[in-house]
Every structure is written in C-alpha cells, then in structure tokens.
Amino acid sequence: MSERTEKHQPLRVVVADDQAAIREPLAAVLALAEDIDVVAAAADGTEVLTAVAAGPVDVVLMDLRMPRMDGIETTRRLTEDHPEVAVVVLTTFADDDSILAALSAGARGYLTKNAGRQDIVRAIRAAAAGQSVLDREVQNRLLASVRTKPAAAEQPLPLPEDITRREREVLTLIGQGLPNRAIAEKLFISEATVKTHINNLFAKAGIRDRADAVRRAIAAGLA
C-alpha cells in the first residue's frame, strides 16, 4: 500500500479522452470514489502534459486515439519526463500493436472501455502503487502474441534460482492471465500476500511489469 493511501490522501487523476461525451461522465463517475480526485480532464495529449506540468498528478487515465498528440506519444513523454506519474490506458482498441506500443511506452495498465467503474478504480489504485493491471482480453491477446513470436526474437532471461515455490506458482498464474484476486482465490491466500509475492518475484527476477512477467512465465515453460 502506498504512503498516499495510508494517509487517506486522494489520488490525483487526469482523465484524457477526445470525446467530451466519454470524458466528462467518466470524470464525474471516478470522482465519486473517496480516494480519487479528478484534477483535470484533457481532450488530447498536449492538454495532458499541461495538466501534469501544473500538477501534482498521480495517474493519467489515457485514451489512445486523440488529436494533436495521441496516447502513445503522450505516455512516452510522461515516462521520460514525469516517471512518477502512472498511466492507465482506457481505450476501445485491443489489437496487438496498440497493446504492445502502449506497454512499451510505459503504461502500467491497459483496459478496454468495456471495463466497469470498479475495474477502472482498481487499475488506478494499482498503478499508483506501482503495479500493473491488464484486463482479461488484453492479457489473452498478449499471451497469444508472445507465444507466436519467432524463435529469433529476443529471449527473456531465465528465472533466478532463489525463486521460491510460491513465487513460481504466482508467476505461473500471472502467465495464465489471472488477476491478483483470482490468484489469491486459487492459492487460498490473501490478495495482500499475492502482492507481496509479486513484489519479491519482480525484484528477484528483474521483471519490469506484468506484461514482462507473462513473457518470463512463457519462456520458463510455466504458462
């Protein structure tokens, strides 16, 4: 749990979408969460960067297709210039190119617009805590993409020997596309314990994010 959450300070969120009919209701709905403060609504990437510069901002909920500066380029600039700001993509596009481009640019989460309010709120909280959240459709496409990569592609590093049995089980379930809550239910442990195992696993294995964890699980024959 982040220091901000422990002190009950709201997460400062920017909602970015070029369609006012989506942007404004979404901002209003998110503002109903006690721990979220929507500090700005942006119609394109340049407005996002302006809002972040005026800051402080914790999370940007980012559409991908926007005029002037799209979500991919905006995410890349935020990752380079404001690494403390987490990006969660919320888009109608779930094609391989969009997913991989967003994650490569530094997005910590990727949701489609089929996601419900609670899913979006959970993704924002997770991103602010340094965790990655991919919805099921995105995880399935990412899994399929990784599995069909040519053998000549760059291979992930092997897992270190000090990975525990439980951490290996958690990695296996991440590789199968399960979110933290489902992993906790599968292993009969708390979601907080799952997060601890994931943090330890990522630190030991040098795993960058959940997408990288999926790649490592597949490479290790766990998924």
Side-chain angles (χ1 to χ4, degrees):
M1 184 178 293
S2 68
E3 180 181 353
R4 178 173 303 281
T5 303
E6 289 175 352
K7 293 182 178 180
H8 305 292
Q9 296 176 339
L11 296 171
R12 297 158 297 205
V13 176
V14 173
V15 175
D17 195 296
D18 64 326
Q19 298 182 52
I22 294 175
R23 181 178 68 246
E24 294 172 3
L26 181 58
V29 167
L30 291 178
L32 296 175
E34 293 183 357
D35 59 342
I36 291 179
D37 181 12
V38 178
V39 296
D44 57 51
T46 58
E47 291 186 8
V48 171
L49 296 181
T50 298
V52 170
V57 172
D58 299 303
V59 180
V60 175
L61 190 62
M62 185 85 72
D63 188 22
L64 290 186
R65 304 294 194 266
M66 297 185 293
R68 293 203 291 177
M69 185 185 300
D70 65 19
I72 301 295
E73 178 60 25
T74 308
T75 299
R76 185 174 295 112
R77 294 199 187 187
L78 289 175
T79 300
E80 292 175 354
D81 300 335
H82 301 278
E84 74 284 1
V85 178
V87 173
V88 175
V89 170
L90 180 66
T91 180
T92 56
F93 301 94
D95 58 282
D96 294 349
D97 289 344
S98 296
I99 295 168
L100 294 174
L103 296 178
S104 296
R108 289 189 195 165
Y110 198 113
L111 304 176
T112 66
K113 288 182 178 176
N114 293 325
R117 172 183 173 272
Q118 289 303 319
D119 294 325
I120 297 171
V121 169
R122 279 194 293 268
I124 288 172
R125 291 169 179 160
Q131 302 165 5
S132 297
V133 174
L134 309 177
D135 74 16
R136 181 58 61 87
E137 179 183 359
V138 170
Q139 290 212 29
N140 289 341
R141 292 194 67 91
L142 185 60
L143 281 166
S145 174
V146 172
R147 285 177 173 139
T148 56
K149 281 186 177 180
E154 180 185 354
Q155 296 298 313
L157 294 173
L159 296 175
E161 294 182 358
D162 61 344
I163 294 294
T164 67
R165 178 184 59 82
R166 182 63 89 188
E167 289 163 357
R168 187 175 293 270
E169 290 173 342
V170 169
L171 181 59
T172 298
L173 296 174
I174 290 175
Q176 293 174 3
L178 271 63
N180 288 0
R181 178 173 296 180
I183 293 173
E185 293 172 354
K186 195 91 170 178
L187 298 179
F188 303 102
I189 58 178
S190 70
E191 195 169 350
T193 301
V194 171
K195 292 176 183 178
T196 297
H197 287 312
I198 289 175
N199 290 337
N200 292 339
L201 172 65
F202 281 25
K204 288 179 182 179
I207 296 175
R208 298 185 301 274
D209 50 37
R210 211 170 184 96
D212 190 29
V214 171
R215 294 177 65 242
R216 298 287 286 276
I218 292 170
L222 301 177

